[in-house]
Amino acid sequence: MPDRRAGTRATPQAVGPPRRRMSRTQRAREQRRRRQHDRHRRVARGLGMTLIALVAIAGVFLGSKFWHSKGPVVDFTGDGGQQVLIEVHEGDFTTAVAETMLEAGVIANVKKFLSAAQGNPAIAAIQPGFYRLRTEIPAATAVQQLTDPQSRVGKLVIPEGRQLDDTTDMKTDRVTPGVFTLIAEASCLELNGDRTCLDAQDLRRAAETEPPEALSVPDWALGPVIQLGSDHRRIEGLITAGTWNVDPTASAPTVLSSLISQSTAQLDKSGLPDTAAQQGMTPYEMLVVASLVQREALPHDFAKVARVIDNRLGQPQRLEFDSTVNYPLDRQEVATTDADRAKVTPWNTYASDGLPATPICSPGMDALRAAEHPEPGDWLYFVTIDKDGTTLFTHNYQQHLTNIEMALDNGVLDSSR
């Protein structure tokens, strides 16, 4: 123990193992390690700050959207901007329509539109289809434009009994627009000063050249359609009579495909496949019968004519319907000529047994129901005897000849033909 009084100091004692002195190389390596560590810490700190900033920006963006949609209601002012096309789908409620308009830039807020539309019966009655509206318009103006009949475009009405091609009445020279022409007219759209329309020739060309599958031809019609080759009339009757929606911006093949698909859905919904099977027919054959019924009779006689068709096919006996002779002719008349009746075509039932190759028109639902449910009877013949549409049915051929004389006397039939 040292003597403190003597003023001497204690000698320092080393604790632990003796330290080795670093070489110059070791010191350089240690400095590099520390610099890398510091750099990694700075990068990590920078990434963390960037992530925080991104989260903050996202929060502001989402908060803004939430504020505008759920918070205080905003609305456009003024007369609006460019015209746009929106589609109201089957089953859309008012909220869904409003959301469609919001996405298209028509309105600024769904809630504001719903408030403006509340209690408006015209809004509740909006039909599926295409509507031309202006962007950036007040909600109240959007309600007015949407319910304006002039805003709806692409509405197609196909009357019962129309065929694909235009036809001309031989006596009056009156032209009846066919389905292709009606589709072309319905497709016309004027948007922001530009007018576009499909052409009937383009629709006819699509019917000739597009594969049946591309036109949405149903499975039960594929065989007859394929058999007719590239004849555009292979899709006759597959677009049924009724009110349809045409997308004015779509191509000819797309429009035909959509119309055939919608018509098929309606036919399936009516129970056509099941009813046809019950009567020993295919759905396509039933559709052909419905088209004959449509063209040969007035509605109150539909079911009787359907029975005549069924009875003749069961004999077997040729149908011999003038409507099937007229079908491929550009100029038509109720009473056909001997020369016309002698021409062999895929449709002429004077020259061939059984049903024509395709429907001869677009039948309506009443004609289809009559084809599915013929009225009981043994009739084989019928003729319209006056201009009021009175039609006489009989099983006896001699009686039928007598009825024809009545039609000749009343000027319904032309004896020279």
Side-chain angles (χ1 to χ4, degrees):
M1 189 171 180
D3 187 353
R4 295 180 182 275
R5 288 175 299 177
T8 59
R9 267 184 201 176
T11 303
Q13 300 293 318
V15 178
R19 295 177 60 186
R20 293 181 180 180
R21 188 171 182 179
M22 287 187 183
S23 68
R24 183 177 298 176
T25 300
Q26 288 174 325
R27 285 198 299 272
R29 188 181 298 116
E30 178 65 15
Q31 288 174 354
R32 285 197 302 272
R33 186 188 67 78
R34 289 179 179 177
R35 284 197 299 270
Q36 289 176 351
H37 179 70
D38 291 342
R39 185 162 56 249
H40 290 163
R41 288 180 62 189
R42 287 195 299 272
V43 171
R45 191 161 47 241
L47 290 174
M49 294 299 294
T50 302
L51 181 60
I52 292 172
L54 290 174
V55 170
I57 292 171
V60 170
F61 175 74
L62 293 175
S64 175
K65 287 197 70 174
F66 179 82
W67 175 263
H68 285 296
S69 62
K70 301 295 185 180
V73 174
V74 296
D75 200 4
F76 289 127
T77 59
D79 297 330
Q82 294 288 304
Q83 292 176 319
V84 294
L85 204 63
I86 70 161
E87 182 178 5
V88 176
H89 297 90
E90 185 75 37
D92 277 359
F93 292 105
T94 306
T95 301
V97 176
E99 290 172 346
T100 298
M101 290 192 292
L102 178 66
E103 292 175 1
V106 174
I107 60 173
N109 186 270
V110 168
K111 187 175 180 181
K112 185 70 174 178
F113 177 83
L114 295 179
S115 177
Q118 188 174 11
N120 189 326
I123 285 289
I126 287 294
Q127 297 296 307
F130 297 89
Y131 294 82
R132 178 181 52 208
L133 305 172
R134 288 202 174 274
T135 57
E136 300 183 357
I137 54 177
T141 304
V143 172
Q144 294 173 359
Q145 287 193 15
L146 186 62
T147 55
D148 183 351
Q150 297 300 316
S151 295
R152 186 175 178 183
V153 295
K155 181 179 179 180
L156 169 65
V157 178
I158 300 178
E160 298 168 346
R162 293 295 174 93
Q163 62 186 73
L164 292 172
D165 297 317
D166 297 349
T167 58
T168 302
D169 186 284
M170 190 173 293
K171 285 185 176 180
T172 65
D173 283 334
R174 178 176 175 270
V175 176
T176 300
V179 173
F180 287 143
T181 296
L182 295 176
I183 295 173
E185 292 173 351
S187 75
C188 290
L189 172 67
E190 187 168 330
L191 200 66
N192 298 310
D194 295 327
R195 182 177 174 82
T196 58
C197 296
L198 287 176
D199 188 270
Q201 289 296 335
D202 291 336
L203 292 161
R204 187 174 292 107
R205 191 175 302 110
E208 292 172 346
T209 60
E210 290 293 321
E213 295 81 1
L215 296 176
S216 296
V217 172
D219 291 342
W220 46 259
L222 277 176
V225 168
I226 292 172
Q227 189 172 357
L228 213 57
S230 60
D231 193 314
H232 67 274
R233 286 167 289 202
R234 62 186 179 150
I235 66 166
E236 186 72 82
L238 295 180
I239 301 174
T240 57
T243 301
W244 308 108
N245 294 307
V246 172
D247 183 351
T249 65
S251 64
T254 300
V255 168
L256 291 180
S257 175
S258 175
L259 291 171
I260 292 175
S261 178
Q262 292 178 70
S263 297
T264 301
Q266 185 184 68
L267 292 171
D268 289 344
K269 186 178 180 180
S270 75
L272 173 64
D274 292 338
T275 306
Q278 292 170 9
Q279 296 200 20
M281 303 178 74
T282 68
Y284 191 79
E285 290 170 336
M286 187 68 75
L287 191 63
V288 174
V289 171
S291 74
L292 297 176
V293 168
Q294 186 75 63
R295 292 300 295 269
E296 285 287 333
L298 294 176
H300 61 270
D301 287 325
F302 278 173
K304 286 185 176 181
V305 171
R307 176 54 64 190
V308 171
I309 295 172
D310 188 60
N311 289 342
R312 287 197 182 186
L313 292 175
Q315 285 288 318
Q317 179 179 339
R318 287 185 177 176
L319 295 179
E320 296 185 341
F321 285 175
D322 288 322
S323 58
T324 65
V325 176
N326 270 319
Y327 171 71
L329 304 179
D330 292 334
R331 299 179 65 83
Q332 300 181 355
E333 189 175 359
V334 174
T336 58
T337 65
D338 290 338
D340 289 336
R341 290 191 291 271
K343 293 178 182 176
V344 178
T345 73
W347 300 276
N348 185 355
T349 56
Y350 277 92
S352 303
D353 296 334
L355 294 169
T358 72
I360 61 171
C361 71
S362 293
M365 294 309 294
D366 288 342
L368 185 63
R369 280 190 286 268
E372 293 173 335
H373 306 287
E375 185 171 327
D378 62 355
W379 313 294
L380 288 173
Y381 310 98
F382 65 94
V383 62
T384 300
I385 63 168
D386 59 35
K387 295 181 180 179
D388 293 329
T390 304
T391 302
L392 300 180
F393 294 79
T394 182
H395 175 77
N396 185 280
Y397 183 66
Q398 291 303 318
Q399 181 61 51
H400 179 57
L401 294 179
T402 301
N403 295 340
I404 289 176
E405 289 298 325
M406 295 174 62
L408 290 170
D409 291 343
N410 292 331
V412 176
L413 297 179
D414 185 351
S415 59
S416 65
R417 303 177 70 83

